[in-house]
Amino acid sequence: MSFSNPPARRIISTVGHILPALCSVGLLILVWELYARFSGISPTTLPSPSRVLAQAVVHRHALWDNTVPTVRATVLGFSCSLAAAFIFSVLIDFFRRLRRALFPIFIISQTLPLVAIAPLVVLWFGFGLTPKILLVALVTFFPMLVALAQGYEATEEEIELLLASMGAPRWKRFLLARFPAALPHFFAGLRISITYAVVGAIFAEYAGAAQGLGIYILNAKNNFRPDLVLAAVLVSALLTLTLFGASVLVQYAAMPWTRRGRYTLR
Amino acid sequence: MTAPILEMRGIAHRFGGLDVLADISLNIAAGEFVSILGPSGAGKSTILRILTGGQRPDRGEILFEGTTLEASRQPFAFMPQRDALMPWRRVLDNTTLGLEVQGVKRAEARRRVQPLFAEFGLEGFETHYPSELSGGMRQRTALLRTVVQQRPMMLLDEPFGALDALTRFGMQRWLEAMWTHHSWTAILVTHDVREAVALSDRIYVLSPRPARIVHEIEIDLPRPRTVAGPHQPQMTAIENTILELLLHPKEE
Ligand SMILES: Nc1ncnc2c1ncn2[C@@H]1O[C@H](COP(=O)(O)OP(=O)(O)O)[C@@H](O)[C@H]1O
Ligand SMILES: [Mg+2]
């Protein structure tokens, strides 16, 4: 039994959903603006949000030129990471020994401090795209891998028994049951990963790059322009939000069954 | 009796230190509806799991049509306890699952399943997801998925265990009509005495774990038994006998 909301009700409910978030963010910005204006603090220490925004508009061309390489590194690195996470998740699902052999390595990779590893990767792979892709992959790979591996394990045992009774070989059981059962877990992992991706790319650029938001932030800081640092931070936040939104949309499209029946009755 | 299509001889099984099946020997002839009745945790599901190859027995042998049952041959269509519907598949695609696994093309599988939707009371729900169905409809979907595999025998593990009393009774009446009409061969696993007596040609009663067969009852009453009729006193008498067996297993 599905009730499709009329569009007006739908819009109202969506607004109701995001209203608390808008209020809290708005309040935060307001407090910041008032403090920066009336406490007498110098704008070279703490610029007001309005100044950050104004400077972002003034410097939009430079910001844009530095955003493009960051987006490229993020998207490429994240795609590689996604592909690798999927391939490894399948491998360790089929070969249990491989899981025990590889998991310690993956866990150790998560303990590496980015501050130490980023300059090294740049040292080894130069100022090009490769070190950025590697660092983005390093920070986003593990959450997705763990989510997928756990998702496969969450498959209902009765469904596996059913498929086995039908004579389905292991790979068919994977495709028909384990993979779709893992999707909700996968998307949860994807959303966590995606929030690390832009930060990973910026960190890599910070450690050495010709262009990019990371290097833009470094230069702005060295020129005592916290307003421009924050303008770049604003851009990176927008990037992350966009990617996050995209992943929500993909999940919405990929899992139509969660929008029907019992799932929608909260 | 005609030659049995399935024979289990001296099946025994333990899970680690847990002795689950002590000694299970049973047989079923083509066209027969046989119930395995036993208390919860007796090992009923384990018997079906051994038949479907999900578990190897420690001892005993299984003969199907006179030859040993190898893993490659799958003469059973299995309906697991709980419906095991895939939430991500629409009702229609859930019912064709077995055919798809057999390698039947999706369009052909759908063509074969579609005419059965009316009989199973699922007409108009083909494109729904399982989460949109009532409990009874979910069970009918799972049963349809079992039936369309067209295997020689069906194994039903407590198909109505999760339903409320009224829905369960409706489903039992419906199932009886279906079986009278099609005379499919089936093993039904249940802990519901009335259900077993109403539906079965024969009942095997299990002891509590470790399970052995304590009683075998042939039920030779006219059908339909799920509607009121002159057979009712006899049914009640049989039900009482079985209840005594289940409640006082040691005195046997
Ligand atoms: N895979 C398993 N590993 C260990 N113990 C199990 C397993 N499957 C079932 N058991 C145990 O075997 C006993 C019988 O289980 P089951 O056959 O499911 O009983 P029933 O279906 O009659 O309720 C239970 O005590 C259960 O805990
Ligand atoms: Mg059971």
Side-chain angles (χ1 to χ4, degrees):
Chain A
M1 277 116 280
S2 60
F3 306 96
S4 54
N5 283 349
R9 257 184 68 192
R10 201 141 161 189
I11 289 167
I12 290 169
S13 93
T14 311
V15 170
H17 243 81
I18 58 174
L19 202 60
L22 286 178
C23 286
S24 64
V25 171
L27 191 68
L28 196 71
I29 291 175
L30 188 68
V31 169
W32 175 6
E33 179 78 37
L34 292 176
Y35 183 81
R37 276 190 189 207
F38 298 112
S39 70
I41 194 166
S42 148
T44 52
T45 308
L46 181 71
S48 68
S50 55
R51 184 186 162 89
V52 170
L53 206 62
Q55 287 304 307
V57 172
V58 171
H59 292 265
R60 61 186 178 278
H61 292 298
L63 272 172
W64 174 254
D65 289 343
N66 286 287
T67 301
V68 173
T70 305
V71 170
R72 191 183 301 138
T74 304
V75 169
L76 282 175
F78 193 71
S79 309
C80 291
S81 172
L82 181 62
F86 179 68
I87 290 168
F88 275 105
S89 75
V90 175
L91 284 175
I92 62 176
D93 195 58
F94 276 80
F95 307 103
R96 294 296 145 131
R97 289 235 179 85
L98 202 62
R99 181 194 197 108
R100 258 168 279 148
L102 291 180
F103 246 73
I105 299 180
F106 295 147
I107 292 171
I108 289 168
S109 80
Q110 294 307 293
T111 66
L112 303 174
L114 215 50
V115 225
I117 208 74
L120 283 179
V121 175
V122 171
L123 180 70
W124 296 330
F125 296 97
F127 289 84
L129 203 54
T130 320
K132 281 102 196 166
I133 290 176
L134 283 176
L135 280 169
V136 171
L138 180 73
V139 294
T140 59
F141 172 77
F142 193 66
M144 284 194 288
L145 180 83
V146 171
L148 280 168
Q150 278 184 347
Y152 300 148
E153 292 306 316
T155 313
E156 210 184 309
E157 198 201 356
E158 308 263 320
I159 290 181
E160 297 237 40
L161 282 175
L162 173 72
L163 284 170
S165 84
M166 290 170 169
R170 181 73 172 81
W171 66 268
K172 244 185 203 173
R173 298 212 291 277
F174 180 85
L175 283 182
L176 288 171
R178 293 177 78 80
F179 180 68
L183 281 180
H185 298 256
F186 164 70
F187 279 108
L190 184 80
R191 284 201 298 272
I192 293 173
S193 268
I194 229 159
T195 58
Y196 298 160
V198 177
V199 177
I202 288 177
F203 226 109
E205 290 163 355
Y206 203 84
Q211 258 194 331
L213 285 177
I215 210 75
Y216 187 86
I217 289 171
L218 186 66
N219 289 336
K221 187 206 73 166
N222 289 342
N223 293 328
F224 305 104
R225 292 294 302 270
D227 50 348
L228 290 183
V229 172
L230 287 171
V233 167
L234 181 69
V235 172
S236 96
L238 288 177
L239 281 181
T240 299
L241 280 176
T242 308
L243 288 174
F244 192 89
S247 77
V248 171
L249 280 182
V250 172
Q251 173 168 20
Y252 185 86
M255 298 174 59
W257 65 92
T258 55
R259 306 198 294 273
R260 306 271 292 264
R262 226 149 290 176
Y263 288 97
T264 51
L265 305 174
R266 295 263 166 76
Chain B
M1 204 173 72
T2 52
I5 178 170
L6 172 73
E7 255 187 293
M8 296 181 89
R9 290 187 188 154
I11 297 291
H13 191 71
R14 327 171 48 97
F15 283 115
L18 191 70
D19 213 352
V20 177
L21 302 179
D23 176 16
I24 302 293
S25 299
L26 53 82
N27 59 69
I28 168 166
E32 231 185 346
F33 192 106
V34 170
S35 287
I36 299 176
L37 182 62
S40 272
K44 303 182 298 294
S45 295
T46 306
I47 295 177
L48 296 191
R49 198 182 280 208
I50 285 171
L51 283 174
T52 55
Q55 196 77 54
R56 278 182 163 281
D58 294 342
R59 251 184 311 113
E61 64 174 342
I62 302 169
L63 298 179
F64 191 84
E65 289 174 332
T67 56
T68 52
L69 191 74
E70 326 100 57
S72 58
R73 195 164 48 138
Q74 264 298 340
F76 307 113
F78 173 47
M79 177 169 166
Q81 202 170 355
R82 294 193 291 273
D83 49 50
L85 295 177
M86 294 178 168
W88 52 87
R89 282 186 165 232
R90 293 172 190 274
V91 169
L92 181 60
D93 298 325
N94 262 293
T95 58
T96 58
L97 183 68
L99 296 174
E100 272 180 54
V101 169
Q102 287 172 31
V104 178
K105 288 266 179 309
R106 181 171 287 204
E108 163 67 12
R110 289 184 170 182
R111 202 185 53 70
R112 275 198 230 169
V113 176
Q114 217 113 36
L116 293 165
F117 265 75
E119 207 178 356
F120 278 72
L122 293 167
E123 215 169 19
F125 289 87
E126 289 87 342
T127 58
H128 284 55
Y129 284 100
S131 61
E132 299 171 279
L133 301 184
S134 68
M137 292 178 82
R138 290 181 69 105
Q139 294 301 322
R140 286 200 295 268
T141 306
L143 213 56
L144 178 53
R145 177 189 63 199
T146 315
V147 165
V148 293
Q149 293 175 50
Q150 297 195 307
R151 303 285 190 182
M153 189 185 294
M154 281 182 243
L155 307 175
L156 313 175
D157 195 349
E158 304 200 25
F160 310 133
L163 301 178
D164 64 273
L166 196 59
T167 312
R168 188 186 322 143
F169 186 71
M171 288 291 292
Q172 288 163 356
R173 184 175 274 187
W174 172 80
L175 192 75
E176 182 181 36
M178 292 290 288
W179 246 260
T180 314
H181 184 196
H182 294 278
S183 35
W184 288 314
T185 314
I187 294 181
L188 169 81
V189 153
T190 182
H191 60 250
D192 182 337
V193 178
R194 298 194 66 167
E195 176 171 294
V197 173
L199 297 175
S200 316
D201 298 318
R202 214 144 45 81
I203 302 177
Y204 288 103
V205 182
L206 294 187
S207 69
R209 203 182 58 226
R212 53 183 77 247
I213 286 162
V214 292
H215 204 60
E216 181 187 341
I217 306 169
E218 184 113 22
I219 307 206
D220 197 11
L221 294 176
R223 293 180 192 275
R225 302 173 191 157
T226 44
V227 291
H231 55 274
Q232 225 129 38
Q234 275 166 288
M235 277 180 72
T236 312
I238 298 172
E239 283 165 18
N240 287 340
T241 317
I242 297 175
L243 270 175
E244 284 308 311
L245 273 170
L246 287 171
L247 295 174
H248 308 286
K250 288 287 172 283
E251 279 124 71
E252 182 49 21

